[in-house]
Amino acid sequence: MKNKNFILRLIREDEKFAAENIAREAHWDGEWDAAPTICDVHLLAHRLFSCAAYVPELSFVAEADGRLVGHIMYARCKIVAPDGAEHEVLTFGPLSVLPEAQGCGIGTALMRRSFDEAKRLGAHGVLIFGYPDYYPRAGFRRAAEFGITTADGTNFDAFMAYPLYDGAFDGISGRFIIDPVYDNLSREDVDAFDKKFPPKELHTPVPLEVLLDRLPPAARDAFEKGKSLRYMTTKSEREIRETPGVCDEAMEIIRATMHEHGFARGSAKTYR
C-alpha cells in the first residue's frame, strides 16, 4: 500500500463480511501445524459478531483509499479470583490487517484507538494470547506479573495483559476465563464457511524440521515435532533461551533460520 494515510472508525453493519475477509487474508498463512490447512480466523470473526460477549463499541476498522484494510474486534471475558469473585476484562482478536497494508502502523493504530475507547468505557484492561516478542512493544506485560493465569492455572509469555490505567489490576488476580466462542472451531465448520469466499490456494507452511535439522542434538529434542516454523513465534526469546539444551550457538541458529524464512525474532529486552 503506497498511501500510508488511513482513517479509523467504527465498523458498519454492512461491512462485517468485508471484515471477515480481511481476517481471512491477514491470517491465511498463520497456522502452526505443518500440514496446509484453511485458517479459522474468519469463522471466529463471523461468530464473534453475533456473540453476546462481542463489544461493538470497540469494533474499529481502518479505511484507506475508500476501502477497508484493517479491523480489530473485542469480547468481554473475566478473571475469576480464588474466592470466586469475578472481574470483567477485555480481550481482542482477531486483529487483522491486509498483507499489502502491513507495516504502515495500522495494527498499532487500531490498538491505540480501541484502548482509548475501552478506558473511556471503564474497562480495567486487556488480556490476549499473542506473539510475545511483538506485543510488549505496545505496552503489554506478562499476565503472570499481575497474578493472572490461564483458565487451567498455567502461564507462559504469550499470555499477556495491558492495564488501561495505572493500578488497573490492583486487587484483581486469578484465572482468565475467555468466552467459549474462541473454542470449538472445528475443521468441518471452517471448511464449510470458507466456501463463502473466493477460492484461495492453500499456504504450505515451512516445517519446523527446517530448523531442527540445523540445531545441535541437545536443542533438537527440546521442540515439538510436526509443527510449522511459525510456531516458534509463539515463544518469547526469553523462553527459548531458558529451554534445556538451547545454548548461544543454538539461539543464533534459531534467529538466522527464522530471519531466512521471514520471521523476525524479538528480544528478551522487550519484557520488563
Side-chain angles (χ1 to χ4, degrees):
M1 187 177 76
K2 295 181 180 180
N3 181 7
K4 293 188 177 182
N5 295 319
F6 55 88
I7 61 170
L8 304 179
R9 58 171 175 79
L10 290 174
I11 193 171
R12 299 193 300 262
E13 183 66 29
D14 62 352
E15 294 174 324
K16 290 182 177 179
F17 183 79
E20 293 162 9
N21 189 60
I22 291 173
R24 181 181 188 246
E25 293 294 320
H27 300 281
W28 187 255
D29 62 352
E31 294 297 300
W32 299 340
D33 292 330
T37 53
I38 296 172
C39 78
D40 59 12
V41 182
H42 51 320
L43 176 58
L44 170 60
H46 177 73
R47 290 181 173 177
L48 269 170
F49 279 129
S50 58
C51 174
Y54 171 61
V55 187
E57 298 90 344
L58 300 176
S59 192
F60 287 95
V61 294
E63 179 183 335
D65 298 324
R67 70 182 185 119
L68 300 190
V69 295
H71 177 228
I72 192 169
M73 57 195 314
Y74 281 75
R76 296 181 183 88
C77 41
K78 60 187 177 182
I79 296 170
V80 180
D83 63 0
E86 297 184 357
H87 305 276
E88 185 175 289
V89 289
L90 297 169
T91 190
F92 69 71
L95 165 59
S96 310
V97 179
L98 288 176
E100 63 268 27
Q102 293 173 9
C104 299
I106 293 172
T108 299
L110 285 166
M111 281 192 285
R112 295 299 182 205
R113 178 67 183 86
S114 57
F115 291 169
D116 288 344
E117 183 63 15
K119 182 179 178 180
R120 190 188 70 79
L121 293 173
H124 294 290
V126 180
L127 288 101
I128 62 168
F129 297 91
Y131 294 130
D133 282 334
Y134 170 74
Y135 284 103
R137 303 171 195 173
F140 279 89
R141 296 161 59 185
R142 284 174 285 168
E145 296 182 28
F146 301 99
I148 301 170
T149 73
T150 62
D152 62 6
T154 60
N155 249 307
F156 41 85
D157 286 355
F159 178 42
M160 293 168 281
Y162 183 94
L164 288 168
Y165 54 89
D166 290 341
F169 291 121
D170 288 354
I172 298 177
S173 63
R175 298 180 301 117
F176 176 60
I177 308 297
I178 200 167
D179 193 272
V181 72
Y182 285 92
D183 299 320
N184 304 317
L185 297 167
S186 73
R187 183 51 47 196
E188 293 76 15
D189 288 348
V190 172
D191 291 346
F193 181 67
D194 193 69
K195 290 181 171 58
K196 297 182 179 182
F197 298 81
K200 189 174 177 67
E201 183 179 354
L202 287 180
H203 170 74
T204 301
V206 178
L208 188 58
E209 280 68 24
V210 167
L211 167 63
L212 300 183
D213 290 345
R214 301 178 182 182
L215 290 175
R220 194 177 302 153
D221 296 333
F223 300 104
E224 187 175 351
K225 311 298 188 294
K227 298 291 187 180
S228 71
L229 188 61
R230 182 179 291 275
Y231 177 71
M232 294 295 290
T233 64
T234 68
K235 300 178 180 295
S236 71
E237 185 159 310
R238 184 189 71 84
E239 287 175 310
I240 293 174
R241 280 190 170 277
E242 293 181 356
T243 301
V246 175
C247 57
D248 288 344
E249 176 194 0
M251 194 68 237
E252 288 305 314
I253 292 172
I254 292 170
R255 283 201 196 99
T257 303
M258 295 189 71
H259 277 285
E260 178 183 332
H261 293 279
F263 300 107
R265 277 243 58 90
S267 168
K269 294 178 181 178
T270 58
Y271 284 95
R272 301 183 187 184

